[in-house]
PDB file of all heavy atoms in Angstrom:
ATOM      1  N   GLY X  44      11.526 133.635 104.497  1.00 39.00           N
ATOM      2  CA  GLY X  44      11.658 134.754 105.427  1.00 39.00           C
ATOM      3  C   GLY X  44      12.935 134.665 106.219  1.00 39.00           C
ATOM      4  O   GLY X  44      13.629 135.666 106.442  1.00 39.00           O
ATOM      5  N   LEU X  45      13.319 133.451 106.646  1.00 33.00           N
ATOM      6  CA  LEU X  45      14.562 133.255 107.390  1.00 33.00           C
ATOM      7  C   LEU X  45      15.756 133.624 106.536  1.00 33.00           C
ATOM      8  O   LEU X  45      16.690 134.287 106.984  1.00 33.00           O
ATOM      9  CB  LEU X  45      14.665 131.791 107.838  1.00 33.00           C
ATOM     10  CG  LEU X  45      15.849 131.428 108.730  1.00 33.00           C
ATOM     11  CD1 LEU X  45      15.746 132.169 110.051  1.00 33.00           C
ATOM     12  CD2 LEU X  45      15.897 129.928 108.959  1.00 33.00           C
ATOM     13  N   HIS X  46      15.691 133.207 105.250  1.00 36.00           N
ATOM     14  CA  HIS X  46      16.795 133.527 104.349  1.00 36.00           C
ATOM     15  C   HIS X  46      16.912 135.032 104.138  1.00 36.00           C
ATOM     16  O   HIS X  46      18.019 135.582 104.070  1.00 36.00           O
ATOM     17  CB  HIS X  46      16.577 132.822 103.011  1.00 36.00           C
ATOM     18  CG  HIS X  46      17.651 133.097 102.007  1.00 36.00           C
ATOM     19  ND1 HIS X  46      18.911 132.578 102.120  1.00 36.00           N
ATOM     20  CD2 HIS X  46      17.651 133.866 100.887  1.00 36.00           C
ATOM     21  CE1 HIS X  46      19.655 132.989 101.117  1.00 36.00           C
ATOM     22  NE2 HIS X  46      18.907 133.779 100.347  1.00 36.00           N
ATOM     23  N   ALA X  47      15.761 135.701 104.069  1.00 35.00           N
ATOM     24  CA  ALA X  47      15.774 137.143 103.852  1.00 35.00           C
ATOM     25  C   ALA X  47      16.377 137.882 105.035  1.00 35.00           C
ATOM     26  O   ALA X  47      16.996 138.921 104.893  1.00 35.00           O
ATOM     27  CB  ALA X  47      14.351 137.635 103.606  1.00 35.00           C
ATOM     28  N   GLN X  48      16.217 137.305 106.248  1.00 35.00           N
ATOM     29  CA  GLN X  48      16.730 137.932 107.441  1.00 35.00           C
ATOM     30  C   GLN X  48      18.222 137.667 107.632  1.00 35.00           C
ATOM     31  O   GLN X  48      18.883 138.339 108.405  1.00 35.00           O
ATOM     32  CB  GLN X  48      15.968 137.433 108.677  1.00 35.00           C
ATOM     33  CG  GLN X  48      14.499 137.845 108.688  1.00 35.00           C
ATOM     34  CD  GLN X  48      13.725 137.132 109.775  1.00 35.00           C
ATOM     35  OE1 GLN X  48      14.305 136.661 110.753  1.00 35.00           O
ATOM     36  NE2 GLN X  48      12.416 137.027 109.613  1.00 35.00           N
ATOM     37  N   GLN X  49      18.751 136.677 106.939  1.00 34.00           N
ATOM     38  CA  GLN X  49      20.141 136.293 107.102  1.00 34.00           C
ATOM     39  C   GLN X  49      20.859 136.280 105.750  1.00 34.00           C
ATOM     40  O   GLN X  49      21.241 135.239 105.244  1.00 34.00           O
ATOM     41  CB  GLN X  49      20.241 134.914 107.766  1.00 34.00           C
ATOM     42  CG  GLN X  49      19.647 134.876 109.167  1.00 34.00           C
ATOM     43  CD  GLN X  49      19.730 133.509 109.780  1.00 34.00           C
ATOM     44  OE1 GLN X  49      19.837 132.508 109.090  1.00 34.00           O
ATOM     45  NE2 GLN X  49      19.683 133.445 111.097  1.00 34.00           N
ATOM     46  N   PRO X  50      21.020 137.450 105.128  1.00 39.00           N
ATOM     47  CA  PRO X  50      21.688 137.497 103.819  1.00 39.00           C
ATOM     48  C   PRO X  50      23.156 137.101 103.945  1.00 39.00           C
ATOM     49  O   PRO X  50      23.772 137.296 104.981  1.00 39.00           O
ATOM     50  CB  PRO X  50      21.561 138.973 103.420  1.00 39.00           C
ATOM     51  CG  PRO X  50      21.450 139.705 104.726  1.00 39.00           C
ATOM     52  CD  PRO X  50      20.696 138.792 105.637  1.00 39.00           C
ATOM     53  N   LYS X  51      23.691 136.579 102.865  1.00 50.00           N
ATOM     54  CA  LYS X  51      25.103 136.218 102.849  1.00 50.00           C
ATOM     55  C   LYS X  51      25.942 137.482 102.958  1.00 50.00           C
ATOM     56  O   LYS X  51      25.670 138.485 102.308  1.00 50.00           O
ATOM     57  CB  LYS X  51      25.433 135.485 101.554  1.00 50.00           C
ATOM     58  CG  LYS X  51      26.881 135.008 101.487  1.00 50.00           C
ATOM     59  CD  LYS X  51      27.143 134.273 100.193  1.00 50.00           C
ATOM     60  CE  LYS X  51      28.600 133.819 100.099  1.00 50.00           C
ATOM     61  NZ  LYS X  51      28.878 133.120  98.830  1.00 50.00           N
ATOM     62  N   SER X  52      26.956 137.452 103.783  1.00 75.00           N
ATOM     63  CA  SER X  52      27.813 138.623 103.980  1.00 75.00           C
ATOM     64  C   SER X  52      28.536 138.964 102.689  1.00 75.00           C
ATOM     65  O   SER X  52      28.967 138.080 101.937  1.00 75.00           O
ATOM     66  CB  SER X  52      28.828 138.347 105.087  1.00 75.00           C
ATOM     67  OG  SER X  52      29.790 139.367 105.136  1.00 75.00           O
ATOM     68  N   SER X  53      28.685 140.253 102.434  1.00 91.00           N
ATOM     69  CA  SER X  53      29.426 140.686 101.250  1.00 91.00           C
ATOM     70  C   SER X  53      30.907 140.349 101.363  1.00 91.00           C
ATOM     71  O   SER X  53      31.640 140.402 100.378  1.00 91.00           O
ATOM     72  CB  SER X  53      29.259 142.196 101.050  1.00 91.00           C
ATOM     73  OG  SER X  53      29.784 142.905 102.150  1.00 91.00           O
ATOM     74  N   LEU X  54      31.348 140.022 102.577  1.00 97.00           N
ATOM     75  CA  LEU X  54      32.741 139.634 102.780  1.00 97.00           C
ATOM     76  C   LEU X  54      33.025 138.238 102.236  1.00 97.00           C
ATOM     77  O   LEU X  54      34.178 137.860 102.067  1.00 97.00           O
ATOM     78  CB  LEU X  54      33.086 139.660 104.270  1.00 97.00           C
ATOM     79  CG  LEU X  54      33.196 141.042 104.919  1.00 97.00           C
ATOM     80  CD1 LEU X  54      33.235 140.923 106.432  1.00 97.00           C
ATOM     81  CD2 LEU X  54      34.417 141.781 104.414  1.00 97.00           C
ATOM     82  N   GLY X  55      31.982 137.461 101.997  1.00 96.00           N
ATOM     83  CA  GLY X  55      32.157 136.102 101.518  1.00 96.00           C
ATOM     84  C   GLY X  55      31.933 135.083 102.615  1.00 96.00           C
ATOM     85  O   GLY X  55      31.292 135.371 103.635  1.00 96.00           O
ATOM     86  N   THR X  56      32.477 133.911 102.431  1.00 94.00           N
ATOM     87  CA  THR X  56      32.274 132.803 103.362  1.00 94.00           C
ATOM     88  C   THR X  56      33.314 132.833 104.477  1.00 94.00           C
ATOM     89  O   THR X  56      34.509 132.974 104.208  1.00 94.00           O
ATOM     90  CB  THR X  56      32.374 131.456 102.616  1.00 94.00           C
ATOM     91  OG1 THR X  56      31.463 131.454 101.526  1.00 94.00           O
ATOM     92  CG2 THR X  56      32.066 130.300 103.551  1.00 94.00           C
TER      93      THR X  56
END
Side-chain angles (χ1 to χ4, degrees):
L45 185 64
H46 179 72
Q48 294 170 22
Q49 298 179 338
K51 183 179 179 181
S52 170
S53 62
L54 288 168
T56 305

